[in-house]
């Protein structure tokens, strides 16, 4: 795991966009894993800027969402399909038909989850997965206690997550759906490069656990320690709980330029 302590979240966003840029230059048909939430917004702004100035194209890329609420009416502004369209797809040249997410309104949710896994596999797997982390250490919607081998399935959101996400539902945790479909930890760990972005003091404990804590289902993001290529981009506040800060800074400063993230 590489931890990069950035001067601010804007620099983290540029580094993540650079990694996507580099990937797409090598393979314009690369498969991206997209996250919702506030953490990747700066990355999406950067991708939109580069697309608009003509230095980057996502026209042949494909993308998969991490998760989706269950039961929100189709087209609801907070469904993750709508959110990703607003935050990214509508601002770049990504083909909307090539952006897939699990359908939280499917009549057979178990079948939908299995079909989603099959679709990811049929695309050849995810090349680069963007990730945020919940304050309780959840990855996608894999809440504490989630199996570290889990696959795409239905989950019940914790009250902590519903409170965290209430800001998108008029401040009312009861307006946040109780259930979601989410890629499992095992699914996420199959992506070839995981890029996690975290900023702010609220994320400091989750970042400390995921980088330096023992691997445990109690902090699902600690499963990232089992992956061979993880980049964690944090601002100083999110990094404030880390014991090995000096080591991360020295290592990044000494990194060969050719290596990329
Ligand atoms: C949400 C999403 C996650 C996201 C996390 C953190 O509930 N399902 O994919 O990473 O919580 O969100 P944010 O980036 O807004 O802090």
């Amino acid at each position: 795991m590489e931890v990069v302590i950035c001067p601010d979240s804007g620099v983290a966003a540029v580094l993540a966009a650079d990694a996507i840029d580099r990937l797409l230059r090598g393979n314009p048909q690369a498969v991206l894993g997209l996250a919702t939430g506030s953490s990747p917004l700066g990355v999406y702004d950067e991708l939109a800027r580069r697309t608009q100035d003509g230095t980057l194209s996502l026209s042949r890329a494909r993308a998969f969402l991490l998760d989706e609420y269950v039961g929100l009416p189709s087209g609801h502004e907070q469904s993750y399909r709508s959110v990703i369209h607003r935050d990214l797809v509508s601002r770049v040249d990504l083909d909307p038909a090539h952006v897939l997410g699990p359908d939280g309104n499917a009549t057979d949710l178990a079948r939908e989850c299995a079909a989603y896994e099959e679709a990811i596999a049929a695309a050849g797997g995810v090349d680069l997965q963007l990730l945020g982390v919940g304050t309780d250490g959840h990855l996608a919607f894999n809440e504490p206690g989630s199996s570290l081998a889990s696959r795409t399935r239905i989950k019940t959101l914790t009250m902590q997550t519903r409170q965290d996400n209430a800001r998108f539902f008029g401040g009312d945790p009861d307006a946040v759906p109780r259930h979601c479909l989410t890629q499992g930890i095992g699914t996420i760990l199959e992506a070839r490069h995981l890029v996690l972005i975290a900023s702010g003091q609220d994320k400091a404990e989750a970042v400390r656990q995921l980088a330096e804590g023992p691997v445990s289902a109690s902090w699902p993001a600690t499963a990232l320690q089992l992956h061979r290529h993880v980049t964690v981009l944090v601002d100083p506040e999110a990094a404030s709980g880390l014991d090995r800060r000096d080591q991360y800074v020295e290592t990044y400063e000494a990194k060969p330029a050719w290596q990329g993230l």
Side-chain angles (χ1 to χ4, degrees):
M1 177 181 293
E2 177 176 42
V3 178
V4 183
I5 303 176
C6 302
D8 56 50
S9 57
V11 174
V14 168
L15 289 177
D18 286 347
I20 293 170
D21 204 319
R22 184 175 165 129
L23 171 68
L24 289 170
R25 278 176 210 285
N27 175 16
Q29 297 188 72
V31 179
L32 302 175
L34 302 176
T36 46
S38 46
S39 302
L41 288 180
V43 186
Y44 298 154
D45 288 345
E46 189 60 25
L47 295 177
R49 193 185 61 70
R50 295 182 194 196
T51 306
Q52 282 151 21
D53 72 16
T55 57
L56 174 71
S57 174
L58 289 86
S59 63
R60 296 172 64 202
R62 292 157 297 158
F64 288 90
L65 293 184
L66 280 173
D67 47 13
E68 182 57 280
Y69 292 112
V70 166
L72 285 183
S74 162
H76 188 285
E77 61 168 16
Q78 290 307 328
S79 79
Y80 281 172
R81 189 170 283 267
S82 300
V83 170
I84 205 67
H85 185 78
R86 205 162 50 235
D87 291 345
L88 180 68
V89 182
S90 64
R91 304 165 67 204
V92 295
D93 56 352
L94 197 50
D95 180 348
H98 289 164
V99 181
L100 297 183
D103 179 0
N105 285 314
T107 42
D108 183 342
L109 291 172
R111 177 68 213 126
E112 171 64 16
C113 292
Y116 195 61
E117 290 274 342
E118 286 161 17
I120 295 172
V126 171
D127 291 301
L128 186 153
Q129 176 67 59
L130 284 173
L131 293 167
V133 62
T135 55
D136 61 1
H138 73 244
L139 263 195
F141 270 140
N142 294 281
E143 298 283 22
S146 292
S147 159
L148 301 186
S150 49
R151 311 302 305 190
T152 304
R153 69 218 182 286
I154 188 166
K155 289 291 284 179
T156 305
L157 297 174
T158 61
M159 185 42 84
Q160 173 74 57
T161 297
R162 293 171 74 218
Q163 279 164 354
D164 286 349
N165 289 3
R167 66 191 192 279
F168 300 116
F169 290 84
D172 177 10
D174 288 334
V176 181
R178 293 192 82 90
H179 296 103
C180 63
L181 303 183
T182 182
Q183 286 189 32
I185 301 282
T187 318
I188 293 168
L189 290 180
E190 284 176 4
R192 288 179 272 281
H193 183 193
L194 303 177
V195 178
L196 184 141
I197 299 184
S199 62
Q201 192 65 43
D202 285 355
K203 300 292 173 73
E205 179 61 10
V207 169
R208 187 177 81 80
Q209 292 286 346
L210 77 86
E212 298 178 350
V215 174
S216 163
S218 295
W219 288 91
T222 60
L224 298 184
Q225 294 175 30
L226 299 169
H227 193 278
R228 70 178 76 178
H229 190 186
V230 179
T231 307
V232 175
L233 302 169
V234 284
D235 71 358
E237 291 75 27
S240 61
L242 294 168
D243 285 336
R244 291 196 292 268
R245 262 176 299 179
D246 292 348
Q247 179 192 331
Y248 304 135
V249 171
E250 283 163 25
T251 304
Y252 188 64
E253 280 174 1
K255 186 171 183 165
W258 52 263
Q259 210 174 13
L261 287 181

